[in-house]
Coordinates of all heavy atoms in Angstrom, one line a residue:
M1 N 0.8 -1.2 0.0 CA 0.0 -0.1 0.0 C 0.9 1.2 0.0 O 2.0 1.2 0.5 CB -1.0 -0.1 1.3 CG -0.3 0.5 2.5 SD -1.4 0.2 4.0 CE -0.8 -1.3 4.4
V2 N 0.4 2.3 -0.6 CA 1.1 3.6 -0.6 C 0.6 4.5 0.5 O -0.5 4.6 0.7 CB 0.9 4.3 -2.0 CG1 1.6 5.7 -2.0 CG2 1.5 3.4 -3.0
V3 N 1.6 4.9 1.4 CA 1.3 5.8 2.5 C 2.1 7.1 2.2 O 3.0 7.2 1.4 CB 1.6 5.3 3.8 CG1 0.8 4.0 4.1 CG2 3.1 4.9 3.9
K4 N 1.8 8.2 2.9 CA 2.5 9.3 2.6 C 3.1 9.9 4.1 O 2.5 9.6 5.2 CB 1.7 10.3 2.1 CG 1.2 10.1 0.7 CD 0.4 11.2 0.2 CE -0.1 10.8 -1.2 NZ -1.1 11.8 -1.9
T5 N 4.2 10.7 4.0 CA 4.7 11.2 5.3 C 3.7 12.4 5.5 O 3.0 12.9 4.7 CB 6.1 11.9 5.0 OG1 6.0 12.7 3.9 CG2 7.1 10.8 4.8
H6 N 3.7 12.6 6.9 CA 2.7 13.5 7.4 C 3.3 14.3 8.5 O 3.8 13.7 9.5 CB 1.4 12.9 7.9 CG 0.4 13.7 8.5 ND1 -0.3 14.5 7.8 CD2 0.0 13.9 9.8 CE1 -1.1 15.2 8.5 NE2 -1.0 14.8 9.7
S7 N 3.3 15.7 8.4 CA 3.9 16.5 9.5 C 2.9 16.9 10.4 O 1.7 17.4 10.0 CB 4.7 17.6 8.8 OG 5.2 18.5 9.8
K8 N 3.1 16.7 11.6 CA 2.0 17.2 12.7 C 2.6 18.3 13.4 O 2.2 18.4 14.7 CB 1.6 15.9 13.5 CG 0.3 16.1 14.2 CD -0.1 14.8 14.9 CE -1.4 15.1 15.6 NZ -2.2 13.9 15.6
G9 N 3.3 19.1 12.9 CA 3.9 20.3 13.6 C 5.3 20.1 13.7 O 5.9 19.2 13.1
R10 N 6.0 21.0 14.3 CA 7.4 21.1 14.4 C 8.1 19.7 14.9 O 7.9 19.5 16.2 CB 7.9 22.2 15.2 CG 9.2 22.5 15.1 CD 9.6 23.9 15.8 NE 11.0 24.2 15.7 CZ 11.5 25.3 16.2 NH1 10.8 26.3 16.6 NH2 12.9 25.4 16.1
G11 N 9.0 19.2 14.0 CA 9.7 18.0 14.7 C 8.9 16.8 14.8 O 9.4 15.8 15.4
V12 N 7.6 16.6 14.3 CA 6.9 15.5 14.5 C 6.4 15.1 13.1 O 5.5 15.6 12.5 CB 5.7 15.7 15.3 CG1 4.8 14.3 15.5 CG2 6.1 16.1 16.8
T13 N 7.1 14.0 12.6 CA 6.6 13.5 11.3 C 6.2 12.1 11.5 O 6.8 11.3 12.2 CB 7.8 13.6 10.2 OG1 8.3 14.9 10.2 CG2 7.5 13.1 8.9
G14 N 5.1 11.6 10.9 CA 4.6 10.3 10.9 C 4.1 9.9 9.5 O 4.6 10.5 8.5
L15 N 3.2 9.0 9.4 CA 2.6 8.5 8.2 C 1.2 8.7 8.3 O 0.5 8.4 9.2 CB 2.9 6.9 8.2 CG 4.4 6.5 8.1 CD1 4.5 4.8 8.2 CD2 5.2 7.0 7.0
L16 N 0.7 9.1 7.1 CA -0.8 9.2 6.7 C -1.1 7.9 6.0 O -0.6 7.7 4.9 CB -1.0 10.5 6.0 CG -2.5 10.7 5.6 CD1 -3.3 10.7 7.0 CD2 -2.7 11.8 5.0
V17 N -1.9 7.0 6.6 CA -2.1 5.8 6.0 C -3.4 5.8 5.0 O -3.3 5.1 4.0 CB -2.5 4.7 7.1 CG1 -2.7 3.3 6.5 CG2 -1.3 4.5 8.0
G18 N -4.3 6.5 5.4 CA -5.5 6.6 4.5 C -6.6 5.7 5.0 O -6.3 4.6 5.4
V19 N -7.8 6.3 4.9 CA -9.0 5.5 5.4 C -9.2 4.2 4.7 O -9.4 3.2 5.4 CB -10.2 6.3 5.4 CG1 -11.4 5.6 5.7 CG2 -10.1 7.5 6.2
A20 N -9.0 4.1 3.3 CA -9.3 3.0 2.6 C -8.2 1.8 3.1 O -8.6 0.6 3.1 CB -9.2 3.2 1.0
N21 N -7.0 2.3 3.2 CA -5.9 1.3 3.6 C -6.3 0.7 5.1 O -6.0 -0.4 5.3 CB -4.6 1.9 3.7 CG -4.1 2.1 2.2 OD1 -4.4 1.4 1.3 ND2 -3.3 3.1 2.1
V22 N -6.7 1.6 5.9 CA -7.1 1.0 7.2 C -8.1 0.1 7.2 O -8.0 -1.1 7.7 CB -7.5 2.4 8.2 CG1 -8.2 1.8 9.4 CG2 -6.4 3.2 8.4
R23 N -9.1 0.2 6.3 CA -10.2 -0.8 6.2 C -9.5 -2.0 5.6 O -10.2 -3.1 6.1 CB -11.3 -0.2 5.3 CG -12.1 0.8 6.0 CD -13.4 1.1 5.2 NE -13.9 2.4 5.4 CZ -14.0 3.4 4.6 NH1 -13.7 3.2 3.3 NH2 -14.4 4.6 4.9
R24 N -8.7 -1.9 4.8 CA -8.3 -3.2 3.9 C -7.2 -4.0 4.8 O -7.1 -5.2 4.8 CB -7.7 -2.7 2.6 CG -7.3 -3.9 1.8 CD -7.0 -3.6 0.4 NE -6.6 -4.7 -0.4 CZ -6.2 -4.6 -1.5 NH1 -6.2 -3.5 -2.2 NH2 -5.9 -5.8 -2.2
Y25 N -6.2 -3.3 5.4 CA -5.1 -3.9 6.1 C -5.0 -4.0 7.5 O -4.0 -4.6 8.1 CB -3.8 -3.2 5.5 CG -3.7 -3.3 4.0 CD1 -3.9 -2.2 3.1 CD2 -3.2 -4.5 3.4 CE1 -3.7 -2.4 1.7 CE2 -3.0 -4.6 2.1 CZ -3.2 -3.5 1.2 OH -3.1 -3.6 -0.1
F26 N -5.8 -3.2 8.2 CA -5.6 -3.1 9.7 C -6.9 -3.7 10.4 O -7.9 -3.1 10.3 CB -5.4 -1.7 10.1 CG -4.1 -1.1 9.7 CD1 -4.1 -0.6 8.4 CD2 -3.0 -1.2 10.4 CE1 -2.9 -0.1 7.8 CE2 -1.8 -0.5 9.9 CZ -1.7 -0.1 8.7
P27 N -6.8 -4.9 11.1 CA -7.9 -5.5 11.9 C -8.4 -4.4 12.8 O -7.5 -3.9 13.6 CB -7.5 -6.7 12.4 CG -6.4 -7.1 11.5 CD -5.7 -5.8 11.0
R28 N -9.7 -4.1 13.1 CA -10.2 -3.2 14.0 C -9.7 -3.3 15.4 O -9.5 -2.3 16.2 CB -11.6 -3.2 14.0 CG -12.3 -2.2 14.7 CD -12.9 -1.1 13.8 NE -13.6 -0.1 14.6 CZ -13.6 1.1 14.5 NH1 -12.7 1.6 13.7 NH2 -14.3 1.9 15.2
H29 N -9.6 -4.5 15.9 CA -9.1 -4.6 17.3 C -7.6 -4.5 17.7 O -7.2 -4.5 18.8 CB -9.4 -6.2 17.7 CG -8.6 -7.2 17.0 ND1 -8.8 -7.5 15.6 CD2 -7.5 -7.9 17.4 CE1 -7.8 -8.4 15.2 NE2 -7.0 -8.7 16.3
V30 N -6.8 -4.2 16.6 CA -5.3 -4.1 16.7 C -5.1 -2.8 17.4 O -5.4 -1.7 16.9 CB -4.6 -4.3 15.3 CG1 -3.0 -3.9 15.5 CG2 -4.7 -5.7 14.8
E31 N -4.3 -2.8 18.5 CA -3.8 -1.6 19.1 C -2.3 -1.2 18.9 O -2.0 -0.1 19.1 CB -4.0 -1.7 20.6 CG -5.5 -1.8 21.0 CD -5.6 -2.0 22.4 OE1 -4.6 -2.0 23.3 OE2 -6.7 -2.2 23.0
V32 N -1.5 -2.3 18.4 CA -0.1 -2.1 18.2 C 0.3 -2.8 16.9 O -0.2 -3.9 16.7 CB 0.7 -2.6 19.3 CG1 2.2 -2.5 19.1 CG2 0.4 -2.0 20.7
I33 N 1.1 -2.1 16.1 CA 1.7 -2.8 15.0 C 3.2 -2.7 15.1 O 3.7 -2.0 15.8 CB 1.2 -2.1 13.6 CG1 1.7 -0.7 13.6 CG2 -0.3 -2.3 13.4 CD1 1.5 0.0 12.2
E34 N 3.8 -3.7 14.3 CA 5.3 -3.6 14.2 C 5.7 -3.1 12.9 O 5.2 -3.6 11.9 CB 5.7 -5.1 14.3 CG 7.2 -5.2 14.5 CD 7.7 -6.6 14.8 OE1 7.4 -7.0 16.0 OE2 8.4 -7.3 14.0
L35 N 6.7 -2.1 12.9 CA 7.2 -1.7 11.7 C 8.6 -2.0 11.5 O 9.4 -2.0 12.4 CB 7.1 -0.1 11.7 CG 5.8 0.6 11.6 CD1 5.9 2.1 11.5 CD2 5.1 0.1 10.3
H36 N 8.9 -2.5 10.3 CA 10.5 -2.8 10.0 C 10.9 -1.6 9.1 O 10.4 -1.3 8.1 CB 10.6 -4.1 9.3 CG 10.1 -5.3 9.9 ND1 10.9 -6.5 10.0 CD2 9.0 -5.5 10.7 CE1 10.3 -7.4 10.8 NE2 9.2 -6.9 11.3
L37 N 12.0 -1.0 9.7 CA 12.5 0.2 9.0 C 13.9 -0.1 8.9 O 14.8 0.0 9.7 CB 12.5 1.4 10.0 CG 11.1 1.7 10.8 CD1 11.1 2.7 11.7 CD2 10.0 2.1 9.7
D38 N 14.2 -0.6 7.7 CA 15.7 -1.2 7.4 C 15.9 -2.2 8.4 O 15.3 -3.2 8.5 CB 16.7 0.0 7.4 CG 16.6 1.0 6.3 OD1 16.1 0.6 5.3 OD2 16.9 2.2 6.4
H39 N 17.0 -2.1 9.1 CA 17.3 -3.2 10.1 C 16.6 -2.8 11.5 O 16.9 -3.7 12.4 CB 19.0 -3.1 10.3 CG 19.4 -1.7 10.9 ND1 19.5 -0.6 10.2 CD2 19.8 -1.4 12.2 CE1 20.0 0.4 11.0 NE2 20.1 -0.1 12.2
L40 N 15.9 -1.8 11.7 CA 15.2 -1.5 12.8 C 13.8 -2.3 12.9 O 13.2 -2.3 11.8 CB 15.0 0.0 13.1 CG 16.2 0.8 13.1 CD1 15.8 2.3 13.1 CD2 17.1 0.5 14.4
Q41 N 13.3 -2.6 14.0 CA 12.0 -3.1 14.2 C 11.5 -2.3 15.5 O 12.1 -2.4 16.6 CB 12.0 -4.6 14.6 CG 12.4 -5.5 13.3 CD 12.4 -7.0 13.6 OE1 11.8 -7.4 14.7 NE2 13.2 -7.7 12.8
I42 N 10.3 -1.7 15.2 CA 9.7 -0.9 16.4 C 8.2 -1.3 16.4 O 7.6 -1.7 15.4 CB 9.8 0.6 16.1 CG1 9.2 1.1 14.9 CG2 11.4 1.0 16.2 CD1 9.2 2.6 14.8
Q43 N 7.6 -1.0 17.6 CA 6.2 -1.4 17.8 C 5.6 0.1 17.9 O 6.1 0.9 18.6 CB 6.0 -2.2 19.1 CG 6.3 -3.6 18.8 CD 5.8 -4.5 19.9 OE1 5.6 -4.0 21.0 NE2 5.7 -5.8 19.7
C44 N 4.6 0.3 17.2 CA 3.9 1.5 17.2 C 2.3 1.3 17.7 O 1.8 0.5 17.1 CB 3.9 2.4 15.9 SG 5.4 2.6 15.3
G45 N 2.0 2.2 18.7 CA 0.7 2.1 19.1 C -0.2 2.8 18.0 O 0.1 3.8 17.4
L46 N -1.5 2.3 17.9 CA -2.5 3.0 17.1 C -3.5 3.7 18.0 O -4.2 3.1 18.7 CB -3.3 2.1 16.2 CG -2.3 1.2 15.3 CD1 -3.1 0.2 14.5 CD2 -1.5 2.0 14.4
D47 N -3.6 5.0 17.8 CA -4.6 5.9 18.6 C -5.9 5.5 18.3 O -6.2 5.0 17.2 CB -4.3 7.3 18.4 CG -3.0 7.8 18.8 OD1 -2.4 7.3 19.7 OD2 -2.6 8.8 18.3
P48 N -6.9 5.7 19.2 CA -8.3 5.5 18.9 C -8.8 6.3 17.6 O -9.6 5.8 17.0 CB -9.1 5.9 20.1 CG -8.1 5.6 21.2 CD -6.8 6.0 20.6
D49 N -8.2 7.5 17.4 CA -8.5 8.3 16.3 C -8.1 7.6 15.0 O -8.6 8.0 13.9 CB -7.9 9.7 16.4 CG -8.6 10.5 17.5 OD1 -9.7 10.2 17.9 OD2 -7.9 11.5 17.9
F50 N -7.2 6.8 15.0 CA -6.7 5.9 13.8 C -8.0 5.3 13.1 O -8.0 5.2 11.9 CB -5.7 4.8 14.2 CG -5.2 4.1 13.0 CD1 -4.1 4.6 12.3 CD2 -5.6 2.9 12.7 CE1 -3.5 4.0 11.4 CE2 -5.1 2.2 11.7 CZ -4.0 2.7 11.0
W51 N -8.9 4.9 14.0 CA -10.2 4.2 13.4 C -11.3 5.3 13.1 O -12.3 4.9 12.7 CB -10.6 3.1 14.4 CG -9.4 2.3 14.9 CD1 -8.8 2.3 16.1 CD2 -8.9 1.4 14.2 NE1 -7.8 1.4 16.1 CE2 -7.7 0.7 15.0 CE3 -9.0 0.8 12.9 CZ2 -7.0 -0.3 14.5 CZ3 -8.2 -0.1 12.4 CH2 -7.2 -0.7 13.2
R52 N -11.1 6.4 13.6 CA -12.1 7.5 13.5 C -11.8 8.6 12.4 O -12.1 9.8 12.5 CB -12.3 8.2 14.8 CG -12.9 7.2 15.8 CD -13.1 7.9 17.1 NE -13.2 6.9 18.2 CZ -12.6 7.1 19.3 NH1 -11.9 8.1 19.6 NH2 -12.6 6.1 20.3
G53 N -11.2 8.1 11.3 CA -11.0 9.1 10.2 C -9.7 9.9 10.3 O -9.5 10.8 9.4
Q54 N -8.8 9.6 11.3 CA -7.6 10.2 11.3 C -6.5 9.1 11.3 O -5.8 8.8 12.3 CB -7.3 11.0 12.5 CG -8.3 12.3 12.5 CD -8.1 13.1 13.8 OE1 -7.4 12.8 14.7 NE2 -9.0 14.1 13.8
P55 N -6.3 8.4 10.1 CA -5.4 7.2 10.1 C -3.9 7.5 10.0 O -3.3 7.5 9.0 CB -6.0 6.5 8.8 CG -6.4 7.6 8.0 CD -7.0 8.6 8.9
E56 N -3.5 8.0 11.0 CA -2.0 8.4 11.1 C -1.2 7.7 12.2 O -1.8 7.2 13.1 CB -1.9 9.9 11.6 CG -2.8 10.9 10.6 CD -3.0 12.2 11.3 OE1 -2.3 12.5 12.3 OE2 -3.6 13.0 10.7
I57 N 0.0 7.4 11.8 CA 1.0 6.6 12.7 C 2.1 7.6 13.1 O 2.7 8.0 12.2 CB 1.6 5.4 12.1 CG1 0.3 4.4 11.7 CG2 2.5 4.7 13.0 CD1 0.8 3.3 10.8
H58 N 2.2 7.8 14.4 CA 3.3 8.7 14.9 C 3.9 8.0 16.1 O 3.4 7.4 17.0 CB 2.6 10.1 15.5 CG 2.0 10.9 14.5 ND1 2.7 11.7 13.7 CD2 0.6 11.0 14.1 CE1 1.9 12.3 12.9 NE2 0.8 11.9 13.1
D59 N 5.3 8.1 16.1 CA 6.1 7.5 17.0 C 7.5 8.2 16.9 O 7.9 8.5 15.8 CB 6.3 6.0 16.7 CG 7.2 5.3 17.8 OD1 8.4 5.4 17.7 OD2 6.6 4.8 18.7
P60 N 8.1 8.6 18.0 CA 9.4 9.4 18.0 C 10.4 8.6 17.2 O 11.3 9.2 16.5 CB 9.7 9.5 19.5 CG 8.6 9.2 20.2 CD 7.6 8.4 19.4
R61 N 10.5 7.2 17.3 CA 11.5 6.5 16.5 C 11.2 6.5 15.1 O 12.1 6.6 14.3 CB 11.5 4.9 17.1 CG 11.9 5.0 18.5 CD 11.4 3.7 19.2 NE 10.1 3.5 19.1 CZ 9.4 2.5 19.5 NH1 10.0 1.4 20.0 NH2 8.1 2.5 19.5
L62 N 9.9 6.4 14.6 CA 9.6 6.5 13.2 C 10.0 7.8 12.7 O 10.4 8.0 11.6 CB 8.1 6.3 13.1 CG 7.4 6.4 11.7 CD1 8.1 5.5 10.7 CD2 5.9 6.4 11.8
C63 N 9.6 8.9 13.5 CA 9.9 10.3 13.0 C 11.5 10.4 12.8 O 12.0 11.0 11.9 CB 9.6 11.2 14.2 SG 9.8 13.0 13.9
A64 N 12.3 10.0 13.7 CA 13.8 10.0 13.7 C 14.3 9.2 12.4 O 15.1 9.7 11.7 CB 14.4 9.5 14.9
W65 N 13.6 8.0 12.2 CA 14.0 7.4 11.0 C 13.7 8.0 9.7 O 14.5 8.1 8.8 CB 13.4 5.9 11.0 CG 13.9 5.1 9.9 CD1 15.0 4.3 9.9 CD2 13.2 4.7 8.7 NE1 15.0 3.6 8.7 CE2 13.9 3.8 7.9 CE3 11.9 5.3 8.1 CZ2 13.6 3.4 6.6 CZ3 11.6 4.9 6.9 CH2 12.3 3.9 6.1
L66 N 12.5 8.6 9.6 CA 12.0 9.3 8.4 C 12.9 10.5 8.2 O 13.3 10.8 7.1 CB 10.7 9.8 8.6 CG 9.5 8.7 8.6 CD1 8.1 9.2 9.0 CD2 9.4 8.1 7.1
E67 N 13.2 11.2 9.3 CA 14.1 12.4 9.0 C 15.5 12.0 8.7 O 16.2 12.6 7.9 CB 14.1 13.1 10.3 CG 12.7 13.9 10.5 CD 12.6 14.8 11.8 OE1 13.5 15.0 12.6 OE2 11.6 15.3 11.9
S68 N 16.2 10.9 9.2 CA 17.4 10.5 8.9 C 17.5 10.1 7.4 O 18.5 10.0 6.8 CB 17.8 9.3 9.8 OG 17.2 8.0 9.4
K69 N 16.4 9.6 6.9 CA 16.4 9.2 5.5 C 15.8 10.4 4.5 O 15.7 10.1 3.3 CB 15.4 8.0 5.3 CG 15.8 6.8 6.1 CD 17.0 6.3 5.4 CE 17.3 5.0 6.2 NZ 18.5 4.3 5.6
N70 N 15.6 11.5 5.2 CA 15.2 12.6 4.4 C 13.8 12.5 3.7 O 13.4 12.8 2.7 CB 16.1 13.1 3.3 CG 17.2 13.9 3.9 OD1 17.1 14.5 4.8 ND2 18.4 13.5 3.3
F71 N 13.0 11.5 4.4 CA 11.6 11.2 4.0 C 10.6 12.1 4.8 O 9.4 11.7 4.9 CB 11.2 9.8 4.3 CG 12.1 8.8 3.4 CD1 12.4 7.5 3.9 CD2 12.4 9.1 2.2 CE1 13.1 6.7 3.1 CE2 13.1 8.2 1.4 CZ 13.5 6.9 1.9
H72 N 11.0 13.0 5.4 CA 10.1 13.9 6.2 C 9.5 15.1 5.4 O 10.1 15.5 4.3 CB 10.8 14.5 7.4 CG 12.1 15.3 7.1 ND1 12.0 16.7 6.6 CD2 13.3 14.9 6.8 CE1 13.2 17.1 6.4 NE2 14.0 16.0 6.4
S73 N 8.2 15.3 5.6 CA 7.6 16.4 4.9 C 7.8 17.7 5.7 O 7.9 17.6 6.9 CB 6.1 16.2 4.8 OG 5.4 16.0 6.0
Q74 N 8.0 18.8 5.0 CA 8.4 20.1 5.6 C 7.1 21.0 5.1 O 6.5 20.8 4.1 CB 9.6 20.6 5.1 CG 10.8 19.8 5.5 CD 12.1 20.2 5.0 OE1 12.0 21.2 4.0 NE2 13.2 19.8 5.3
P75 N 6.8 22.0 5.9 CA 5.8 22.9 5.6 C 5.8 23.4 4.1 O 6.9 23.9 3.8 CB 5.9 24.0 6.6 CG 6.6 23.3 7.8 CD 7.6 22.3 7.1
G76 N 4.9 23.4 3.5 CA 4.9 23.9 2.1 C 5.4 22.9 1.0 O 5.4 23.2 -0.2
R77 N 5.7 21.8 1.3 CA 6.3 20.8 0.5 C 5.4 19.5 0.3 O 4.6 19.2 1.2 CB 7.7 20.3 0.8 CG 8.8 21.4 0.8 CD 10.0 20.7 0.8 NE 11.1 21.9 0.7 CZ 12.2 21.7 1.0 NH1 12.8 20.5 1.5 NH2 13.1 22.7 1.0
T78 N 5.5 18.9 -0.7 CA 4.6 17.7 -0.9 C 5.1 16.6 0.1 O 6.3 16.4 0.1 CB 4.8 17.3 -2.4 OG1 4.4 18.4 -3.2 CG2 3.8 16.1 -2.8
P79 N 4.1 15.9 0.6 CA 4.4 14.6 1.4 C 5.2 13.6 0.5 O 4.9 13.4 -0.7 CB 3.2 14.2 1.9 CG 2.2 15.4 1.9 CD 2.7 16.1 0.7
V80 N 6.0 12.9 1.1 CA 6.8 11.8 0.4 C 6.0 10.4 0.5 O 5.6 10.0 1.5 CB 8.1 11.7 1.1 CG1 8.9 10.4 0.3 CG2 8.9 13.0 1.0
P81 N 5.7 9.9 -0.7 CA 5.0 8.6 -0.8 C 6.0 7.5 -0.4 O 7.2 7.6 -1.0 CB 4.4 8.5 -2.2 CG 5.4 9.3 -2.9 CD 5.8 10.5 -2.1
L82 N 5.6 6.5 0.3 CA 6.2 5.4 0.7 C 5.5 4.1 0.6 O 4.1 4.2 0.6 CB 6.8 5.5 2.2 CG 7.8 6.7 2.5 CD1 7.7 6.8 3.9 CD2 9.1 6.5 1.8
A83 N 6.1 3.0 0.5 CA 5.5 1.7 0.4 C 5.4 1.0 1.9 O 6.4 1.1 2.5 CB 6.2 0.6 -0.6
L84 N 4.3 0.7 2.3 CA 4.1 0.0 3.6 C 3.5 -1.3 3.2 O 2.4 -1.5 2.8 CB 3.0 0.8 4.4 CG 3.0 0.3 5.9 CD1 4.2 0.4 6.7 CD2 1.8 1.1 6.6
I85 N 4.4 -2.3 3.4 CA 4.1 -3.7 2.8 C 3.8 -4.6 4.0 O 4.6 -4.8 4.9 CB 5.5 -4.2 2.0 CG1 5.7 -3.2 0.9 CG2 5.2 -5.7 1.4 CD1 7.1 -3.4 0.3
P86 N 2.7 -5.3 4.0 CA 2.4 -6.2 5.0 C 3.5 -7.3 5.0 O 3.9 -7.8 3.9 CB 1.0 -6.8 4.6 CG 0.3 -5.8 3.7 CD 1.6 -5.1 2.9
A87 N 3.9 -7.7 6.3 CA 5.0 -8.6 6.3 C 4.7 -9.7 7.5 O 5.7 -10.1 8.1 CB 6.3 -7.9 6.6
G88 N 3.5 -10.0 7.7 CA 3.1 -10.8 8.7 C 2.0 -10.2 9.4 O 1.3 -9.2 9.2
K89 N 1.5 -11.0 10.5 CA 0.4 -10.4 11.3 C 0.7 -9.2 12.1 O 1.7 -9.2 12.8 CB 0.0 -11.5 12.4 CG -1.3 -11.2 13.1 CD -1.7 -12.3 14.1 CE -3.0 -11.9 14.8 NZ -3.4 -13.0 15.6
N90 N 0.0 -8.1 11.7 CA 0.2 -6.9 12.3 C 1.7 -6.3 12.1 O 2.1 -5.5 13.0 CB -0.3 -6.8 13.8 CG -1.7 -7.3 13.9 OD1 -2.6 -7.0 13.1 ND2 -1.9 -8.0 15.0
T91 N 2.3 -6.7 11.1 CA 3.7 -6.4 10.8 C 3.8 -5.8 9.5 O 3.2 -6.4 8.6 CB 4.7 -7.6 11.0 OG1 4.4 -8.1 12.3 CG2 6.0 -7.2 10.8
F92 N 4.5 -4.7 9.3 CA 4.7 -4.0 8.0 C 6.0 -3.5 7.8 O 6.8 -3.3 8.8 CB 3.8 -2.8 7.9 CG 2.3 -3.1 8.1 CD1 1.7 -3.2 9.4 CD2 1.4 -3.4 7.0 CE1 0.5 -3.5 9.6 CE2 0.1 -3.7 7.1 CZ -0.4 -3.7 8.5
K93 N 6.5 -3.6 6.6 CA 7.8 -3.3 6.1 C 7.6 -1.7 5.5 O 6.8 -1.7 4.5 CB 8.5 -4.2 5.3 CG 10.0 -3.7 4.7 CD 10.6 -4.7 4.0 CE 11.9 -4.3 3.6 NZ 12.6 -5.5 2.7
L94 N 8.5 -0.8 6.0 CA 8.2 0.6 5.3 C 9.5 0.8 4.4 O 10.7 0.6 4.9 CB 8.3 1.6 6.5 CG 8.0 3.1 6.0 CD1 6.7 3.2 5.2 CD2 8.1 4.0 7.2
Q95 N 9.3 1.2 3.2 CA 10.4 1.4 2.2 C 10.1 2.4 1.2 O 8.9 2.6 0.9 CB 10.9 0.0 1.7 CG 9.9 -0.6 0.8 CD 10.3 -2.0 0.3 OE1 10.9 -2.6 1.0 NE2 10.1 -2.2 -1.0
P96 N 11.1 3.0 0.6 CA 10.9 4.0 -0.5 C 10.2 3.2 -1.6 O 10.3 2.0 -1.8 CB 12.3 4.4 -1.0 CG 13.2 3.9 0.0 CD 12.6 2.8 0.9
I97 N 9.4 4.0 -2.4 CA 8.9 3.4 -3.5 C 9.8 3.5 -4.8 O 10.4 4.5 -4.9 CB 7.5 4.1 -4.0 CG1 6.5 4.0 -2.9 CG2 7.0 3.8 -5.3 CD1 5.2 4.8 -3.1
S98 N 10.1 2.3 -5.3 CA 11.0 2.3 -6.3 C 10.4 2.4 -7.8 O 9.4 2.3 -7.9 CB 11.9 1.1 -6.3 OG 11.1 -0.1 -6.3

């Protein structure tokens, strides 16, 4: 699935998943997902708003990784599209779109 970087203010970058992707790839009862970011594996909590029309994933480690790869969105710039690939139960691999 294609997701986009999303800036939620100064120094906080996350992922905008999209409502259609939430319905298709995220079981409603899931509170935590695992993300594979290159060699890193992190667990990210999903806020209740994730299911209520604000499908965003925010985590300080995700933010740091996105910024280290220059995948962060900046005010006035277009968000960066990335591939979020299912890699097991509640597990996804995040990578650039080639």
Side-chain angles (χ1 to χ4, degrees):
M1 81 186 91
V2 175
V3 298
K4 295 180 181 178
T5 57
H6 176 70
S7 180
K8 196 169 183 152
R10 188 174 178 171
V12 180
T13 302
L15 298 174
L16 181 60
V17 178
V19 173
N21 286 334
V22 169
R23 286 189 207 123
R24 184 170 182 186
Y25 295 104
F26 296 84
R28 185 104 171 133
H29 68 280
V30 173
E31 294 179 5
V32 176
I33 61 166
E34 184 172 297
L35 290 180
H36 293 232
L37 314 169
D38 293 333
H39 64 283
L40 302 173
Q41 294 179 17
I42 64 171
Q43 291 186 342
C44 297
L46 301 177
D47 294 335
D49 289 339
F50 185 81
W51 311 106
R52 297 184 199 131
Q54 294 180 2
E56 302 166 10
I57 300 171
H58 293 281
D59 182 276
R61 297 161 298 176
L62 172 62
C63 179
W65 185 83
L66 290 168
E67 290 181 0
S68 76
K69 299 291 185 179
N70 289 320
F71 293 147
H72 54 91
S73 58
Q74 296 177 349
R77 294 199 181 161
T78 304
V80 178
L82 299 167
L84 188 62
I85 302 164
K89 185 175 181 180
N90 306 325
T91 303
F92 300 88
K93 181 177 180 181
L94 185 63
Q95 64 186 40
I97 294 177
S98 51

